[in-house]
Amino acid sequence: MAEKEATVYIVDVGTSMGERNNGRTQTNLDFALTYVWDKITSTVALERKTAMLGVIGLRTDGTANELEQEESFENISVLQEISNILLPDLKQLHSKIRLSQTVKGDAISAIVIAIQMITKQCKKLKYKRKIILITDGKAPLDADPESVAEITKKITEDNMELVILGVDFDDSDFGFKEEDKDPQKAQNEETLSMLADSCGGVIGTLQQAVDELGMPRLKSTRPVPSYKGHLSLGDTAACDTALAIDVERYPRTMVRRPMAASSYVQRSDPSENGTQSTATVVADGDTEMQDAVASDLTNVKNSRVYRVLDEGAPGGKRDVDRDELAKGFEYGRTAVHISATDENVTKLETQASLEIIGFIPWANYDRYMSMSASNIIVGQRTNTKATMALSSLIHALFEVESYAIARLVPKVDKPPVILLLAPSIEVDHEGLLDVQIPFTEDVRSYRFPPLDRVVTVSGKVIKEHRNLPTEGLMTAMSDYVDEMDLSRLGRDDDGNPSEYMPMAETFSPILHRIDQAVRWRAVHPTEPVPPPYEILTRYSNPPETLISQSKKQLETLITAADVKKVPPKVQGRRRNRNEVKPLSGLDVEALLGGDRKKSKISSQNAIPDFRRILNAAESVEEMQSAAKQLGSIIESRLKASFGDISYPQALEEIGVMREEMGEMEEPGIYNDFANGLKRKLLSEELGGNRKDFWWEFRKSKLGLIDQKASGSSNVTEEDAKSILSFGH
């Protein structure tokens, strides 16, 4: 179970916090709130009932606390009692923290209020107690020695943690010292520093805390075992010499997904109360959003409707209940039905087990065979005998430099998987690291031509060829790679060369950027999201040091590889069609004797002829004529096709027509052809029943060009979908 936490933030909102110091464009209060909101929203994002917090306003215009009758506790207001914070509470709190018009307010008295709030909430229970004070230190302090001693005693006895962050406080560790400091502020810094030191707290400059916000905070997860049972070697039921060790299997690496977004709708009647949360499946199979936290949002309900083709029903389709559906396996072009009672024949009955089936030397394993995230297998907790037995196996594998191959069934009736077990020996623990490896059916073998030689049809091997790199090019590339080496670019604390991208400092930009944006927008719904933190974009580009030092090698490589700039795409005079202008400026078609004005399309060379006519077309009529000719050829192929033998060629030609008409911004030409083709197929004018061709047409995604694909189209997305069915 997660540890209980109670944190109180004390935020100084006095009039001096409205100043802008040390070249900052923000006020001191906005600068302080950068830290406060980041910490609070991080706590809210945890969604833990045991993580509670409260907020106290220091130097507020009014007074609102349990000790407000006493003079020293004036201008201190409790803005948020210690509790779980949700989004509505966050919005209310944001409206309460505002710059005041007073300079009065004692920070030490505010700490007393925070201690009282924590004591009242936590009592004698086990809590992680923490007080964070953010101030500019410009208000007088009531630093009575006896009172400070009592505060120190209470903080120490209750094991509270005190953190004091000052705006422009001197910090030798961070390397900051404010020049021409106000004497009152200097005295307050000294007093607060003594208070923090006496109770084991921390005091520092706020700038350092804000700078550290850019370091992503990693979320610790509780390990959940994916397998508990025996690791066996041999048949334990039949052989006395078989090995069986009680083990547990836990994830070692796992992909962390960014937070997912849910769909909500703005409430039409704001007077109604709404709920909002994750999707929940209700009794009728629909999906409904529940437990909304914002009153202006309402439930979203997703309905699923099942329809089957029925020529006798209106629209050619009939609604059916989910209970009327049956499962089937697609076998060729037919569905093989297997009833629920016979469905067990498709399942493999298995028992949970982890069995070693063989061993393989390290050198014989190809790393590309790893198919999954890694897990670790350790001995059963509190079982010393199992831990010692597993340790013996781990050391034996390490000494003979081998891996174990095992068959894992994590639970009863689960499909088996094959694992590779690798020994892992660390200072504080030992275990077997495992990754899933493929079955025979999982392997895809492809053969590619060699990169270092050319083999002719007759089998002759050619070492020098225009498609092969020369010795000079190989040398230039090798020198460039050496100059771009990252392995020793970094520096450690002593200034010695080290790894440039250590794993501990390489964070997922997508995950933490989404987290940053959501936390910011929760507090600032209308302000633009700030740029990503530097650490998230640090490795997005090559280091400037390497770019500058490898410039000479790059120029040599460009010369050796004869790299030339790609000709710019020239906007054609016909719609948005792009054509590449040759570097020489010559008319290649004229040189080859091609007839650009050729208007006849032959069935033997349909696609090149079609494109040639379009390239030379200067009017819509010429495009329509070319499309009509190609359409006639396609229909002739279908009419003369023996079975489906000509379907692939016809589909390719239809795809070319669709692509070309879309680029020429004449989607209507293709859409007219597609509508006419379907009409002829349904009326069996193309050699009998060719409905199977329309099925291939749909699989190839050759439907109408709708308004989403082309702004020149007058076909809606719904109309484009409807044509794909036989009922329309």
Side-chain angles (χ1 to χ4, degrees):
M1 183 176 178
E3 188 176 9
K4 296 180 179 179
E5 300 178 8
T7 305
V8 175
Y9 294 89
I10 304 174
V11 184
D12 190 345
V13 296
T15 183
S16 61
M17 290 291 284
E19 300 174 0
R20 293 175 170 84
N21 303 118
N22 285 298
R24 289 188 295 267
T25 57
Q26 294 175 298
T27 64
N28 293 341
L29 179 59
D30 290 337
F31 182 54
L33 291 178
T34 301
Y35 173 83
V36 173
W37 291 131
D38 186 275
K39 290 296 184 180
I40 292 178
T41 51
S42 297
T43 303
V44 174
L46 293 176
E47 298 180 355
R48 281 173 40 199
K49 293 183 178 180
T50 56
M52 296 182 290
L53 59 88
V55 180
I56 296 175
L58 172 62
R59 294 201 290 169
T60 57
D61 290 324
T63 303
N65 62 77
E66 293 186 356
L67 303 176
E68 59 185 13
Q69 292 81 10
E70 300 184 26
E71 182 179 353
S72 59
F73 294 94
E74 292 181 353
N75 300 107
I76 299 174
S77 301
V78 177
L79 306 179
Q80 172 67 47
E81 294 286 353
I82 297 179
S83 63
N84 293 113
I85 300 293
L86 300 177
L87 187 57
D89 304 318
L90 200 61
K91 292 181 177 179
Q92 293 178 9
L93 184 61
H94 184 264
S95 63
K96 293 178 181 179
I97 301 180
R98 290 290 182 267
L99 191 68
S100 72
Q101 302 300 320
T102 184
V103 296
K104 297 181 180 180
D106 180 26
I108 294 180
S109 298
I111 294 176
V112 173
I113 299 295
I115 294 173
Q116 184 185 38
M117 292 172 61
I118 292 177
T119 303
K120 180 180 178 181
Q121 173 66 36
C122 303
K123 300 180 175 64
K124 296 295 183 180
L125 301 176
K126 187 177 180 181
Y127 270 84
K128 184 178 180 181
R129 302 166 170 86
K130 192 172 185 178
I131 300 173
I132 301 176
L133 169 64
I134 302 101
T135 179
D136 62 1
K138 292 186 177 182
L141 298 178
D142 183 8
D144 178 57
E146 294 183 2
S147 300
V148 172
E150 292 180 4
I151 293 172
T152 301
K153 181 180 178 182
K154 181 63 175 177
I155 291 176
T156 305
E157 287 179 351
D158 289 0
N159 197 23
M160 298 182 189
E161 180 183 359
L162 176 63
V163 178
I164 301 175
L165 299 175
V167 179
D168 299 328
F169 275 22
D170 294 343
D171 192 331
S172 56
D173 295 335
F174 184 65
F176 177 80
K177 181 176 178 62
E178 186 180 19
E179 301 295 336
D180 302 325
K181 188 185 294 290
D182 179 70
Q184 178 70 59
K185 182 177 180 180
Q187 181 182 350
N188 291 342
E189 283 189 37
E190 183 178 352
T191 302
L192 293 173
S193 179
M194 292 175 58
L195 173 61
D197 293 340
S198 62
C199 62
V202 178
I203 184 170
T205 183
L206 182 61
Q207 183 66 57
Q208 181 179 5
V210 172
D211 290 346
E212 291 177 354
L213 294 178
M215 179 65 68
R217 290 172 288 278
L218 303 183
K219 182 180 179 181
S220 59
T221 57
R222 183 172 61 90
V224 178
S226 57
Y227 172 78
K228 283 186 176 182
H230 293 301
L231 170 62
S232 60
L233 176 60
D235 189 353
T236 55
C239 302
D240 296 336
T241 57
L243 175 69
I245 306 173
D246 291 318
V247 296
E248 298 177 359
R249 181 174 182 253
Y250 295 91
R252 184 61 178 266
T253 60
M254 184 175 293
V255 178
R256 182 183 169 187
R257 308 292 182 186
M259 63 176 69
S262 300
S263 298
Y264 304 105
V265 65
Q266 197 73 21
R267 180 179 300 280
S268 58
D269 183 5
S271 62
E272 299 179 8
N273 294 326
T275 58
Q276 153 178 243
S277 92
T278 54
T280 307
V281 178
V282 293
D284 60 356
D286 299 335
T287 302
E288 188 174 8
M289 310 303 294
Q290 299 180 351
D291 304 329
V293 298
S295 60
D296 58 342
L297 300 178
T298 187
N299 297 349
V300 174
K301 187 174 183 180
N302 300 323
S303 298
R304 179 173 294 179
V305 178
Y306 299 93
R307 294 178 177 175
V308 295
L309 297 177
D310 187 351
E311 296 181 357
K317 292 182 181 180
R318 175 171 54 87
D319 293 350
V320 295
D321 293 331
R322 185 177 181 179
D323 297 337
E324 298 181 40
L325 302 179
K327 289 186 177 181
F329 294 86
E330 187 176 355
Y331 189 73
R333 296 185 181 178
T334 60
V336 178
H337 167 61
I338 295 181
S339 63
T341 56
D342 295 333
E343 195 172 343
N344 290 331
V345 301
T346 65
K347 294 182 178 179
L348 178 66
E349 297 182 1
T350 57
Q351 297 295 323
S353 62
L354 178 57
E355 304 169 348
I356 296 177
I357 57 178
F359 301 92
I360 181 174
W362 293 352
N364 293 355
Y365 177 72
D366 296 321
R367 296 293 294 270
Y368 62 79
M369 288 292 183
S370 301
M371 295 176 57
S372 68
S374 61
N375 296 270
I376 185 169
I377 298 172
V378 296
Q380 187 183 52
R381 293 185 179 183
T382 70
N383 190 336
T384 307
K385 184 178 179 181
T387 303
M388 293 295 294
L390 184 63
S391 177
S392 300
L393 176 61
I394 293 169
H395 282 267
L397 289 172
F398 184 80
E399 290 175 4
V400 298
E401 298 184 351
S402 296
Y403 299 129
I405 306 296
R407 177 182 181 271
L408 170 67
V409 179
K411 294 181 180 180
V412 176
D413 290 339
K414 290 289 184 179
V417 295
I418 303 297
L419 302 179
L420 179 83
L421 309 182
S424 174
I425 303 174
E426 304 291 342
V427 176
D428 54 347
H429 71 276
E430 297 176 346
L432 289 173
L433 300 179
D434 76 69
V435 291
Q436 184 179 346
I437 57 177
F439 289 100
T440 300
E441 296 82 2
D442 300 324
V443 177
R444 300 290 185 269
S445 297
Y446 301 96
R447 299 191 65 179
F448 300 95
L451 299 176
D452 59 344
R453 62 190 183 277
V454 173
V455 181
T456 64
V457 178
S458 61
K460 182 180 179 181
V461 178
I462 301 174
K463 293 289 186 178
E464 294 184 2
H465 190 269
R466 60 184 178 85
N467 292 335
L468 298 178
T470 63
E471 190 66 28
L473 178 57
M474 294 289 289
T475 303
M477 179 59 76
S478 178
D479 294 342
Y480 180 65
V481 171
D482 291 341
E483 288 297 325
M484 293 292 289
D485 185 12
L486 292 171
S487 60
R488 306 289 288 172
L489 184 63
R491 291 290 183 270
D492 58 19
D493 296 337
D494 299 328
N496 300 319
S498 64
E499 185 180 3
Y500 173 67
M501 295 175 59
M503 185 63 67
E505 298 178 9
T506 307
F507 302 96
S508 168
I510 297 297
L511 190 149
H512 295 290
R513 175 57 175 166
I514 293 177
D515 181 63
Q516 176 196 6
V518 171
R519 286 189 286 110
W520 175 271
R521 189 47 57 85
V523 182
H524 309 88
T526 58
E527 298 181 19
V529 178
Y533 296 126
E534 182 273 335
I535 196 170
L536 300 181
T537 59
R538 180 180 300 171
Y539 306 121
S540 299
N541 298 294
E544 292 294 334
T545 304
L546 289 186
I547 294 176
S548 59
Q549 76 180 28
S550 62
K551 186 175 181 181
K552 181 179 178 181
Q553 286 75 14
L554 178 59
E555 292 174 352
T556 303
L557 177 60
I558 292 174
T559 303
D562 193 22
V563 177
K564 296 180 180 178
K565 188 176 181 180
V566 176
K569 290 185 177 180
V570 180
Q571 187 70 33
R573 56 180 175 175
R574 300 179 302 277
R575 280 76 178 169
N576 290 331
R577 188 174 182 81
N578 294 323
E579 56 185 29
V580 177
K581 183 179 179 181
L583 288 172
S584 62
L586 299 176
D587 189 344
V588 179
E589 288 287 342
L591 292 176
L592 297 177
D595 184 6
R596 295 178 62 89
K597 291 296 182 181
K598 179 180 178 181
S599 59
K600 180 72 173 177
I601 299 178
S602 66
S603 59
Q604 292 79 16
N605 199 34
I607 293 177
D609 286 349
F610 177 68
R611 283 180 166 154
R612 188 178 299 111
I613 293 176
L614 291 184
N615 288 336
E618 296 181 354
S619 65
V620 177
E621 289 73 17
E622 294 181 21
M623 299 179 200
Q624 292 174 336
S625 175
K628 185 176 181 180
Q629 291 185 62
L630 183 59
S632 299
I633 293 173
I634 294 170
E635 294 174 358
S636 299
R637 292 196 197 284
L638 295 176
K639 189 177 296 185
S641 176
F642 181 74
D644 60 357
I645 194 170
S646 297
Y647 288 3
Q649 189 173 5
L651 291 170
E652 182 184 7
E653 292 167 346
I654 294 173
V656 171
M657 183 192 297
R658 188 180 191 276
E659 176 186 356
E660 294 292 335
M661 292 299 104
E663 290 184 2
M664 302 291 278
E665 292 191 2
E666 291 294 341
I669 298 177
Y670 174 77
N671 292 341
D672 291 342
F673 162 76
N675 284 316
L677 178 64
K678 180 182 179 181
R679 184 174 61 255
K680 293 179 181 179
L681 287 172
L682 294 179
S683 60
E684 299 185 359
E685 297 178 22
L686 301 179
N689 187 355
R690 296 287 183 182
K691 290 185 178 181
D692 55 341
F693 175 77
W694 194 252
W695 173 253
E696 298 295 333
F697 182 91
R698 293 177 59 187
K699 285 175 59 178
S700 302
K701 299 180 180 180
L702 297 175
L704 300 183
I705 303 175
D706 57 20
Q707 295 171 344
K708 185 177 180 180
S710 174
S712 304
S713 176
N714 57 3
V715 177
T716 64
E717 192 171 354
E718 291 73 17
D719 293 339
K721 290 180 180 179
S722 64
I723 191 180
L724 296 177
S725 65
F726 285 112
H728 292 78

